[in-house]
Short mmCIF file of all heavy atoms in Angstrom, two decimals:
data_model
loop_
_atom_site.label_atom_id
_atom_site.label_comp_id
_atom_site.label_asym_id
_atom_site.label_seq_id
_atom_site.Cartn_x
_atom_site.Cartn_y
_atom_site.Cartn_z
N MET E 7 69.20 173.28 71.97
CA MET E 7 70.53 172.84 72.42
C MET E 7 71.57 173.47 71.50
O MET E 7 71.36 173.66 70.31
CB MET E 7 70.60 171.32 72.32
CG MET E 7 72.01 170.79 72.54
SD MET E 7 72.22 169.01 72.75
CE MET E 7 71.78 168.39 71.14
N GLY E 8 72.72 173.76 72.07
CA GLY E 8 73.83 174.31 71.29
C GLY E 8 75.06 173.49 71.52
O GLY E 8 75.22 172.86 72.60
N VAL E 9 75.95 173.46 70.54
CA VAL E 9 77.19 172.66 70.64
C VAL E 9 78.37 173.57 70.32
O VAL E 9 78.33 174.35 69.40
CB VAL E 9 77.11 171.49 69.63
CG1 VAL E 9 78.40 170.73 69.58
CG2 VAL E 9 75.95 170.55 69.96
N LEU E 10 79.44 173.36 71.08
CA LEU E 10 80.73 174.02 70.80
C LEU E 10 81.63 172.98 70.16
O LEU E 10 81.91 171.94 70.71
CB LEU E 10 81.36 174.55 72.12
CG LEU E 10 82.75 175.14 71.99
CD1 LEU E 10 82.66 176.42 71.17
CD2 LEU E 10 83.30 175.41 73.37
N VAL E 11 82.09 173.28 68.92
CA VAL E 11 82.96 172.35 68.18
C VAL E 11 84.35 173.00 68.13
O VAL E 11 84.49 174.13 67.72
CB VAL E 11 82.45 172.07 66.80
CG1 VAL E 11 83.41 171.23 65.99
CG2 VAL E 11 81.08 171.44 66.85
N THR E 12 85.37 172.23 68.56
CA THR E 12 86.74 172.72 68.46
C THR E 12 87.38 172.02 67.25
O THR E 12 87.14 170.84 67.01
CB THR E 12 87.54 172.45 69.71
OG1 THR E 12 87.59 171.04 69.99
CG2 THR E 12 86.93 173.19 70.92
N GLY E 13 88.16 172.76 66.52
CA GLY E 13 88.78 172.16 65.31
C GLY E 13 87.81 171.97 64.18
O GLY E 13 87.95 171.08 63.35
N GLY E 14 86.81 172.83 64.14
CA GLY E 14 85.70 172.66 63.15
C GLY E 14 86.04 173.02 61.72
O GLY E 14 85.19 172.91 60.90
N ALA E 15 87.25 173.50 61.48
CA ALA E 15 87.63 173.76 60.09
C ALA E 15 88.46 172.62 59.51
O ALA E 15 88.85 172.67 58.37
CB ALA E 15 88.41 175.08 60.00
N GLY E 16 88.68 171.61 60.29
CA GLY E 16 89.37 170.42 59.78
C GLY E 16 88.46 169.50 59.08
O GLY E 16 87.22 169.71 59.00
N PHE E 17 88.94 168.35 58.60
CA PHE E 17 88.18 167.40 57.81
C PHE E 17 86.97 166.84 58.59
O PHE E 17 85.85 166.94 58.17
CB PHE E 17 89.06 166.30 57.36
CG PHE E 17 88.37 165.21 56.56
CD1 PHE E 17 87.99 165.46 55.28
CD2 PHE E 17 88.08 163.95 57.08
CE1 PHE E 17 87.35 164.54 54.49
CE2 PHE E 17 87.44 163.01 56.35
CZ PHE E 17 87.04 163.29 55.06
N ILE E 18 87.21 166.31 59.77
CA ILE E 18 86.16 165.74 60.59
C ILE E 18 85.29 166.80 61.25
O ILE E 18 84.07 166.73 61.23
CB ILE E 18 86.76 164.76 61.64
CG1 ILE E 18 87.44 163.61 60.94
CG2 ILE E 18 85.68 164.28 62.62
CD1 ILE E 18 88.24 162.68 61.85
N GLY E 19 85.94 167.82 61.81
CA GLY E 19 85.18 168.88 62.49
C GLY E 19 84.22 169.60 61.58
O GLY E 19 83.09 169.90 61.97
N SER E 20 84.60 169.87 60.35
CA SER E 20 83.74 170.53 59.40
C SER E 20 82.52 169.63 59.08
O SER E 20 81.42 170.13 58.91
CB SER E 20 84.43 171.00 58.16
OG SER E 20 84.96 169.87 57.44
N ALA E 21 82.75 168.35 58.96
CA ALA E 21 81.66 167.42 58.67
C ALA E 21 80.68 167.38 59.84
O ALA E 21 79.49 167.36 59.67
CB ALA E 21 82.19 166.02 58.40
N VAL E 22 81.22 167.43 61.04
CA VAL E 22 80.36 167.50 62.24
C VAL E 22 79.51 168.75 62.26
O VAL E 22 78.32 168.70 62.47
CB VAL E 22 81.20 167.37 63.54
CG1 VAL E 22 80.36 167.66 64.78
CG2 VAL E 22 81.85 165.98 63.63
N CYS E 23 80.15 169.87 61.99
CA CYS E 23 79.42 171.19 61.94
C CYS E 23 78.30 171.16 60.90
O CYS E 23 77.19 171.52 61.17
CB CYS E 23 80.41 172.33 61.65
SG CYS E 23 81.51 172.69 62.98
N ARG E 24 78.66 170.69 59.70
CA ARG E 24 77.63 170.67 58.65
C ARG E 24 76.48 169.77 59.05
O ARG E 24 75.31 170.11 58.85
CB ARG E 24 78.23 170.19 57.30
CG ARG E 24 79.14 171.22 56.69
CD ARG E 24 79.52 170.81 55.25
NE ARG E 24 80.04 169.45 55.14
CZ ARG E 24 81.33 169.11 55.27
NH1 ARG E 24 82.25 170.00 55.55
NH2 ARG E 24 81.71 167.85 55.16
N ARG E 25 76.75 168.59 59.56
CA ARG E 25 75.71 167.65 59.93
C ARG E 25 74.81 168.19 61.03
O ARG E 25 73.58 168.12 60.97
CB ARG E 25 76.30 166.30 60.34
CG ARG E 25 75.24 165.28 60.65
CD ARG E 25 75.81 163.89 60.49
NE ARG E 25 74.69 162.97 60.57
CZ ARG E 25 74.47 162.06 59.67
NH1 ARG E 25 75.28 161.91 58.71
NH2 ARG E 25 73.49 161.18 59.86
N LEU E 26 75.40 168.77 62.03
CA LEU E 26 74.62 169.28 63.19
C LEU E 26 73.72 170.43 62.74
O LEU E 26 72.54 170.47 63.10
CB LEU E 26 75.52 169.76 64.29
CG LEU E 26 76.26 168.69 65.09
CD1 LEU E 26 77.23 169.28 66.07
CD2 LEU E 26 75.30 167.73 65.79
N VAL E 27 74.26 171.35 61.96
CA VAL E 27 73.48 172.55 61.55
C VAL E 27 72.47 172.21 60.46
O VAL E 27 71.30 172.53 60.58
CB VAL E 27 74.44 173.67 61.10
CG1 VAL E 27 73.63 174.87 60.51
CG2 VAL E 27 75.30 174.16 62.24
N LEU E 28 72.91 171.55 59.42
CA LEU E 28 72.05 171.35 58.26
C LEU E 28 71.08 170.18 58.43
O LEU E 28 69.95 170.25 57.92
CB LEU E 28 72.90 171.15 57.00
CG LEU E 28 73.83 172.32 56.66
CD1 LEU E 28 74.71 171.94 55.46
CD2 LEU E 28 73.05 173.60 56.40
N ASN E 29 71.49 169.10 59.04
CA ASN E 29 70.64 167.92 59.17
C ASN E 29 69.81 167.89 60.44
O ASN E 29 68.69 167.38 60.47
CB ASN E 29 71.44 166.65 59.07
CG ASN E 29 72.12 166.47 57.70
OD1 ASN E 29 71.98 167.31 56.83
ND2 ASN E 29 72.83 165.37 57.55
N HIS E 30 70.40 168.43 61.54
CA HIS E 30 69.74 168.29 62.83
C HIS E 30 69.27 169.65 63.37
O HIS E 30 68.67 169.66 64.46
CB HIS E 30 70.66 167.59 63.84
CG HIS E 30 71.01 166.22 63.39
ND1 HIS E 30 70.13 165.19 63.46
CD2 HIS E 30 72.19 165.73 62.91
CE1 HIS E 30 70.71 164.07 62.98
NE2 HIS E 30 71.99 164.36 62.63
N ARG E 31 69.54 170.73 62.66
CA ARG E 31 69.12 172.07 63.11
C ARG E 31 69.58 172.44 64.48
O ARG E 31 68.88 173.05 65.24
CB ARG E 31 67.61 172.28 62.98
CG ARG E 31 67.03 171.94 61.62
CD ARG E 31 67.72 172.53 60.42
NE ARG E 31 67.73 173.96 60.41
CZ ARG E 31 68.47 174.71 59.55
NH1 ARG E 31 69.20 174.07 58.64
NH2 ARG E 31 68.45 176.00 59.57
N ILE E 32 70.81 172.02 64.85
CA ILE E 32 71.44 172.31 66.12
C ILE E 32 72.35 173.51 65.96
O ILE E 32 73.11 173.59 64.99
CB ILE E 32 72.19 171.07 66.66
CG1 ILE E 32 71.22 169.95 66.96
CG2 ILE E 32 73.01 171.41 67.90
CD1 ILE E 32 71.88 168.66 67.35
N SER E 33 72.28 174.45 66.88
CA SER E 33 73.18 175.62 66.87
C SER E 33 74.60 175.19 67.19
O SER E 33 74.85 174.38 68.11
CB SER E 33 72.69 176.61 67.93
OG SER E 33 71.42 177.11 67.62
N VAL E 34 75.53 175.74 66.44
CA VAL E 34 76.94 175.41 66.57
C VAL E 34 77.81 176.67 66.64
O VAL E 34 77.64 177.56 65.82
CB VAL E 34 77.41 174.51 65.39
CG1 VAL E 34 78.93 174.34 65.38
CG2 VAL E 34 76.72 173.17 65.39
N VAL E 35 78.71 176.69 67.63
CA VAL E 35 79.78 177.65 67.66
C VAL E 35 81.07 176.86 67.35
O VAL E 35 81.37 175.87 68.03
CB VAL E 35 79.91 178.33 69.02
CG1 VAL E 35 81.17 179.23 69.06
CG2 VAL E 35 78.67 179.17 69.33
N ASN E 36 81.73 177.19 66.26
CA ASN E 36 82.90 176.48 65.78
C ASN E 36 84.13 177.34 66.06
O ASN E 36 84.20 178.49 65.62
CB ASN E 36 82.72 176.26 64.27
CG ASN E 36 83.94 175.66 63.63
OD1 ASN E 36 84.91 175.27 64.28
ND2 ASN E 36 83.91 175.59 62.32
N ILE E 37 85.05 176.77 66.78
CA ILE E 37 86.34 177.51 67.03
C ILE E 37 87.50 176.69 66.46
O ILE E 37 87.49 175.45 66.55
CB ILE E 37 86.58 177.84 68.51
CG1 ILE E 37 86.70 176.60 69.39
CG2 ILE E 37 85.51 178.75 69.03
CD1 ILE E 37 87.09 176.90 70.80
N ASP E 38 88.38 177.38 65.81
CA ASP E 38 89.52 176.72 65.20
C ASP E 38 90.69 177.72 65.09
O ASP E 38 90.45 178.89 64.82
CB ASP E 38 89.17 176.23 63.77
CG ASP E 38 90.13 175.22 63.26
OD1 ASP E 38 91.32 175.52 63.10
OD2 ASP E 38 89.71 174.06 62.99
N LYS E 39 91.87 177.24 65.32
CA LYS E 39 93.07 178.09 65.27
C LYS E 39 93.48 178.39 63.85
O LYS E 39 94.17 179.32 63.55
CB LYS E 39 94.22 177.37 66.02
CG LYS E 39 95.47 178.16 66.11
CD LYS E 39 96.55 177.43 66.90
CE LYS E 39 97.82 178.20 66.95
NZ LYS E 39 98.84 177.45 67.71
N LEU E 40 92.96 177.59 62.90
CA LEU E 40 93.31 177.69 61.49
C LEU E 40 94.77 177.45 61.22
O LEU E 40 95.51 178.29 60.67
CB LEU E 40 92.84 179.01 60.91
CG LEU E 40 91.31 179.29 60.93
CD1 LEU E 40 91.02 180.68 60.31
CD2 LEU E 40 90.56 178.18 60.25
N THR E 41 95.19 176.25 61.51
CA THR E 41 96.59 175.86 61.23
C THR E 41 96.60 175.12 59.89
O THR E 41 95.65 175.22 59.11
CB THR E 41 97.12 174.92 62.34
OG1 THR E 41 96.32 173.74 62.40
CG2 THR E 41 97.16 175.65 63.71
N TYR E 42 97.62 174.37 59.63
CA TYR E 42 97.82 173.71 58.31
C TYR E 42 96.67 172.77 57.92
O TYR E 42 96.45 172.58 56.69
CB TYR E 42 99.14 172.90 58.35
CG TYR E 42 99.08 171.67 59.25
CD1 TYR E 42 98.71 170.46 58.72
CD2 TYR E 42 99.25 171.79 60.61
CE1 TYR E 42 98.59 169.35 59.52
CE2 TYR E 42 99.15 170.69 61.43
CZ TYR E 42 98.82 169.47 60.89
OH TYR E 42 98.68 168.36 61.71
N ALA E 43 95.98 172.18 58.87
CA ALA E 43 94.91 171.23 58.53
C ALA E 43 93.57 171.87 58.27
O ALA E 43 92.64 171.18 57.86
CB ALA E 43 94.82 170.18 59.69
N ALA E 44 93.43 173.15 58.56
CA ALA E 44 92.15 173.83 58.39
C ALA E 44 91.84 174.11 56.93
O ALA E 44 92.71 174.42 56.14
CB ALA E 44 92.13 175.09 59.19
N ASN E 45 90.55 174.06 56.62
CA ASN E 45 90.08 174.41 55.27
C ASN E 45 88.74 175.06 55.36
O ASN E 45 87.70 174.36 55.47
CB ASN E 45 89.98 173.13 54.38
CG ASN E 45 89.51 173.45 52.99
OD1 ASN E 45 89.37 174.56 52.63
ND2 ASN E 45 89.28 172.40 52.25
N LEU E 46 88.70 176.36 55.37
CA LEU E 46 87.44 177.10 55.54
C LEU E 46 86.47 176.83 54.43
O LEU E 46 85.25 177.01 54.59
CB LEU E 46 87.69 178.60 55.69
CG LEU E 46 88.27 178.99 57.02
CD1 LEU E 46 88.63 180.49 57.06
CD2 LEU E 46 87.33 178.65 58.19
N ARG E 47 86.96 176.44 53.26
CA ARG E 47 86.07 176.13 52.12
C ARG E 47 85.12 174.97 52.44
O ARG E 47 84.00 174.92 51.91
CB ARG E 47 86.92 175.80 50.89
CG ARG E 47 87.75 176.91 50.25
CD ARG E 47 86.94 178.01 49.69
NE ARG E 47 85.89 177.52 48.84
CZ ARG E 47 85.71 177.78 47.54
NH1 ARG E 47 86.55 178.55 46.94
NH2 ARG E 47 84.72 177.31 46.87
N SER E 48 85.54 174.11 53.32
CA SER E 48 84.69 172.96 53.71
C SER E 48 83.48 173.42 54.52
O SER E 48 82.54 172.65 54.75
CB SER E 48 85.50 171.93 54.49
OG SER E 48 85.95 172.48 55.72
N LEU E 49 83.45 174.69 54.93
CA LEU E 49 82.32 175.23 55.70
C LEU E 49 81.41 176.15 54.86
O LEU E 49 80.52 176.77 55.39
CB LEU E 49 82.87 175.97 56.92
CG LEU E 49 83.64 175.09 57.88
CD1 LEU E 49 84.44 175.94 58.88
CD2 LEU E 49 82.71 174.15 58.61
N ASP E 50 81.69 176.26 53.58
CA ASP E 50 80.91 177.15 52.71
C ASP E 50 79.40 176.85 52.76
O ASP E 50 78.60 177.81 52.65
CB ASP E 50 81.41 177.07 51.28
CG ASP E 50 82.69 177.82 51.02
OD1 ASP E 50 83.18 178.52 51.93
OD2 ASP E 50 83.30 177.63 49.93
N ALA E 51 79.03 175.64 52.95
CA ALA E 51 77.58 175.24 53.02
C ALA E 51 76.89 175.90 54.17
O ALA E 51 75.67 175.99 54.20
CB ALA E 51 77.44 173.77 53.05
N LEU E 52 77.66 176.37 55.16
CA LEU E 52 77.06 176.95 56.38
C LEU E 52 76.97 178.49 56.30
O LEU E 52 76.43 179.12 57.20
CB LEU E 52 77.84 176.55 57.64
CG LEU E 52 77.90 175.03 57.87
CD1 LEU E 52 78.79 174.72 59.03
CD2 LEU E 52 76.47 174.50 58.07
N ALA E 53 77.44 179.05 55.21
CA ALA E 53 77.39 180.53 55.07
C ALA E 53 75.95 181.00 55.12
O ALA E 53 75.08 180.46 54.49
CB ALA E 53 78.02 180.94 53.73
N GLY E 54 75.70 182.00 55.95
CA GLY E 54 74.37 182.55 56.08
C GLY E 54 73.46 181.80 57.04
O GLY E 54 72.33 182.28 57.33
N GLU E 55 73.90 180.72 57.62
CA GLU E 55 73.11 180.00 58.60
C GLU E 55 73.13 180.76 59.94
O GLU E 55 74.23 181.02 60.47
CB GLU E 55 73.65 178.57 58.85
CG GLU E 55 73.42 177.64 57.69
CD GLU E 55 71.98 177.22 57.54
OE1 GLU E 55 71.20 177.21 58.52
OE2 GLU E 55 71.59 176.90 56.40
N GLN E 56 71.98 181.15 60.46
CA GLN E 56 71.90 181.90 61.70
C GLN E 56 72.28 181.06 62.90
O GLN E 56 72.69 181.62 63.92
CB GLN E 56 70.48 182.50 61.87
CG GLN E 56 70.21 183.60 60.95
CD GLN E 56 68.89 184.26 61.26
OE1 GLN E 56 68.10 183.81 62.02
NE2 GLN E 56 68.64 185.37 60.58
N SER E 57 72.17 179.77 62.79
CA SER E 57 72.50 178.91 63.92
C SER E 57 73.96 178.43 63.90
O SER E 57 74.33 177.51 64.60
CB SER E 57 71.57 177.70 63.94
OG SER E 57 71.72 176.94 62.73
N TYR E 58 74.81 179.12 63.13
CA TYR E 58 76.23 178.78 63.01
C TYR E 58 77.10 179.99 63.18
O TYR E 58 76.84 181.05 62.56
CB TYR E 58 76.53 178.12 61.65
CG TYR E 58 77.98 177.86 61.45
CD1 TYR E 58 78.58 176.75 62.05
CD2 TYR E 58 78.75 178.68 60.64
CE1 TYR E 58 79.94 176.54 61.87
CE2 TYR E 58 80.08 178.45 60.43
CZ TYR E 58 80.68 177.38 61.08
OH TYR E 58 82.00 177.15 60.91
N VAL E 59 78.13 179.85 64.05
CA VAL E 59 79.08 180.91 64.29
C VAL E 59 80.47 180.35 64.21
O VAL E 59 80.74 179.29 64.80
CB VAL E 59 78.87 181.56 65.65
CG1 VAL E 59 79.90 182.60 65.98
CG2 VAL E 59 77.46 182.16 65.78
N PHE E 60 81.37 181.03 63.50
CA PHE E 60 82.79 180.64 63.47
C PHE E 60 83.63 181.71 64.15
O PHE E 60 83.47 182.87 63.92
CB PHE E 60 83.29 180.44 62.03
CG PHE E 60 84.77 180.18 61.97
CD1 PHE E 60 85.26 178.93 62.25
CD2 PHE E 60 85.63 181.20 61.72
CE1 PHE E 60 86.62 178.67 62.23
CE2 PHE E 60 87.02 180.97 61.69
CZ PHE E 60 87.53 179.73 61.97
N GLU E 61 84.58 181.28 64.95
CA GLU E 61 85.54 182.18 65.62
C GLU E 61 86.94 181.58 65.45
O GLU E 61 87.15 180.35 65.72
CB GLU E 61 85.25 182.29 67.10
CG GLU E 61 83.99 183.04 67.44
CD GLU E 61 84.12 184.54 67.36
OE1 GLU E 61 85.25 185.05 67.40
OE2 GLU E 61 83.12 185.18 67.30
N GLN E 62 87.90 182.41 64.95
CA GLN E 62 89.28 181.90 64.91
C GLN E 62 89.89 182.10 66.29
O GLN E 62 90.17 183.24 66.69
CB GLN E 62 90.06 182.69 63.86
CG GLN E 62 91.48 182.16 63.74
CD GLN E 62 92.27 182.89 62.68
OE1 GLN E 62 91.74 183.72 61.91
NE2 GLN E 62 93.54 182.58 62.57
N VAL E 63 90.04 181.01 66.99
CA VAL E 63 90.51 181.06 68.39
C VAL E 63 91.41 179.84 68.65
O VAL E 63 91.17 178.74 68.16
CB VAL E 63 89.31 180.98 69.37
CG1 VAL E 63 89.78 180.86 70.84
CG2 VAL E 63 88.37 182.14 69.18
N ASP E 64 92.46 180.07 69.40
CA ASP E 64 93.32 179.01 69.88
C ASP E 64 92.77 178.54 71.22
O ASP E 64 92.61 179.34 72.11
CB ASP E 64 94.75 179.56 70.05
CG ASP E 64 95.76 178.49 70.49
OD1 ASP E 64 95.35 177.35 70.87
OD2 ASP E 64 96.96 178.79 70.42
N ILE E 65 92.52 177.21 71.35
CA ILE E 65 91.88 176.74 72.61
C ILE E 65 92.82 176.88 73.76
O ILE E 65 92.42 176.74 74.94
CB ILE E 65 91.35 175.28 72.51
CG1 ILE E 65 92.49 174.33 72.18
CG2 ILE E 65 90.25 175.18 71.49
CD1 ILE E 65 92.12 172.88 72.28
N CYS E 66 94.10 177.18 73.56
CA CYS E 66 95.05 177.39 74.65
C CYS E 66 95.02 178.81 75.17
O CYS E 66 95.65 179.10 76.17
CB CYS E 66 96.50 177.05 74.20
SG CYS E 66 96.67 175.30 73.78
N ASP E 67 94.27 179.68 74.50
CA ASP E 67 94.14 181.08 74.91
C ASP E 67 92.95 181.21 75.82
O ASP E 67 91.83 181.36 75.37
CB ASP E 67 94.00 181.96 73.62
CG ASP E 67 93.93 183.41 73.93
OD1 ASP E 67 93.75 183.81 75.12
OD2 ASP E 67 94.00 184.23 72.95
N ARG E 68 93.17 181.17 77.14
CA ARG E 68 92.09 181.22 78.11
C ARG E 68 91.21 182.43 77.98
O ARG E 68 89.98 182.35 78.10
CB ARG E 68 92.67 181.18 79.53
CG ARG E 68 93.15 179.84 79.94
CD ARG E 68 93.63 179.92 81.39
NE ARG E 68 92.54 179.61 82.25
CZ ARG E 68 92.60 178.76 83.22
NH1 ARG E 68 93.68 178.15 83.49
NH2 ARG E 68 91.56 178.54 83.99
N ALA E 69 91.81 183.63 77.76
CA ALA E 69 91.00 184.82 77.67
C ALA E 69 90.08 184.80 76.48
O ALA E 69 88.92 185.19 76.56
CB ALA E 69 91.95 186.06 77.55
N ALA E 70 90.55 184.27 75.34
CA ALA E 70 89.71 184.19 74.14
C ALA E 70 88.59 183.21 74.33
O ALA E 70 87.44 183.38 73.87
CB ALA E 70 90.54 183.83 72.92
N ILE E 71 88.89 182.09 74.98
CA ILE E 71 87.87 181.04 75.19
C ILE E 71 86.79 181.52 76.15
O ILE E 71 85.64 181.11 76.02
CB ILE E 71 88.54 179.78 75.76
CG1 ILE E 71 89.45 179.11 74.70
CG2 ILE E 71 87.52 178.74 76.28
CD1 ILE E 71 88.71 178.66 73.49
N ALA E 72 87.10 182.43 77.06
CA ALA E 72 86.12 182.90 78.03
C ALA E 72 85.16 184.00 77.44
O ALA E 72 84.24 184.43 78.15
CB ALA E 72 86.87 183.53 79.22
N LYS E 73 85.33 184.34 76.19
CA LYS E 73 84.45 185.33 75.55
C LYS E 73 83.01 184.87 75.55
O LYS E 73 82.71 183.73 75.20
CB LYS E 73 84.90 185.62 74.11
CG LYS E 73 86.13 186.46 74.05
CD LYS E 73 86.58 186.72 72.59
CE LYS E 73 85.58 186.63 71.53
NZ LYS E 73 86.12 186.91 70.21
N PRO E 74 82.08 185.76 75.90
CA PRO E 74 80.67 185.35 75.89
C PRO E 74 80.20 184.93 74.53
O PRO E 74 79.25 184.13 74.40
CB PRO E 74 79.94 186.65 76.31
CG PRO E 74 80.93 187.43 77.03
CD PRO E 74 82.31 187.09 76.43
N SER E 75 80.78 185.43 73.46
CA SER E 75 80.33 185.05 72.12
C SER E 75 80.60 183.58 71.78
O SER E 75 80.11 183.06 70.81
CB SER E 75 81.03 185.92 71.04
OG SER E 75 82.44 185.67 71.06
N LEU E 76 81.37 182.91 72.63
CA LEU E 76 81.66 181.49 72.37
C LEU E 76 80.63 180.56 73.01
O LEU E 76 80.76 179.37 72.98
CB LEU E 76 83.06 181.12 72.83
CG LEU E 76 84.18 181.83 72.06
CD1 LEU E 76 85.53 181.35 72.49
CD2 LEU E 76 84.03 181.61 70.56
N VAL E 77 79.62 181.11 73.66
CA VAL E 77 78.56 180.30 74.24
C VAL E 77 77.60 179.92 73.14
O VAL E 77 77.10 180.83 72.39
CB VAL E 77 77.80 181.07 75.37
CG1 VAL E 77 76.63 180.27 75.90
CG2 VAL E 77 78.78 181.47 76.47
N PRO E 78 77.32 178.67 72.92
CA PRO E 78 76.43 178.30 71.84
C PRO E 78 75.04 178.95 71.93
O PRO E 78 74.49 179.07 73.02
CB PRO E 78 76.27 176.78 72.02
CG PRO E 78 77.55 176.34 72.72
CD PRO E 78 77.88 177.49 73.62
N ILE E 79 74.57 179.44 70.81
CA ILE E 79 73.28 180.11 70.76
C ILE E 79 72.16 179.09 70.68
O ILE E 79 72.32 178.02 70.14
CB ILE E 79 73.24 181.08 69.54
CG1 ILE E 79 73.64 180.32 68.27
CG2 ILE E 79 74.13 182.28 69.74
CD1 ILE E 79 73.61 181.17 67.03
N PRO E 80 71.02 179.44 71.26
CA PRO E 80 69.86 178.45 71.21
C PRO E 80 69.35 178.23 69.77
O PRO E 80 69.39 179.15 68.99
CB PRO E 80 68.80 179.12 72.08
CG PRO E 80 69.28 180.45 72.42
CD PRO E 80 70.70 180.60 71.97
N ALA E 81 68.92 177.01 69.53
CA ALA E 81 68.42 176.70 68.20
C ALA E 81 67.01 177.23 68.01
O ALA E 81 66.29 177.49 68.90
CB ALA E 81 68.38 175.19 68.00
#
C-alpha cells in the first residue's frame, strides 16, 4: 500500500510521514508547497528511505499533481 501525504513538511504532516515509513513500512509520497510552516529538517529521519519520496508541489497546480511520479510506490 502507498500513501500520498499533502503538507508533509509541516508539524503534523512530517510526523505522519515518519510514522508511516519508519514504524509501519508504508510507502509515502510527500508533497508540500514549502511555505512558512514547512520545515524540511523534520524529515531528516527519512533521508535514504527507498519507500519515501518528497516533491515540492502546490496542490493547486493541476499539471504538477498529475505527474506520474506522484503515484505512491509499492511497499
Side-chain angles (χ1 to χ4, degrees):
M7 171 170 65
V9 174
L10 176 66
V11 176
T12 60
F17 179 74
I18 296 171
S20 63
V22 169
C23 290
R24 289 191 309 272
R25 183 156 190 130
L26 290 174
V27 174
L28 300 175
N29 295 1
H30 299 287
R31 306 312 300 170
I32 294 174
S33 296
V34 170
V35 174
N36 173 8
I37 62 173
D38 197 298
K39 186 178 176 181
L40 297 181
T41 61
Y42 70 94
N45 179 7
L46 287 176
R47 295 293 312 240
S48 64
L49 298 166
D50 284 350
L52 299 176
E55 289 289 333
Q56 290 187 347
S57 60
Y58 175 76
V59 175
F60 173 80
E61 292 279 342
Q62 183 177 355
V63 175
D64 182 349
I65 62 170
C66 295
D67 182 348
R68 285 182 90 131
I71 293 295
K73 285 179 23 180
S75 64
L76 295 183
V77 176
I79 51 179

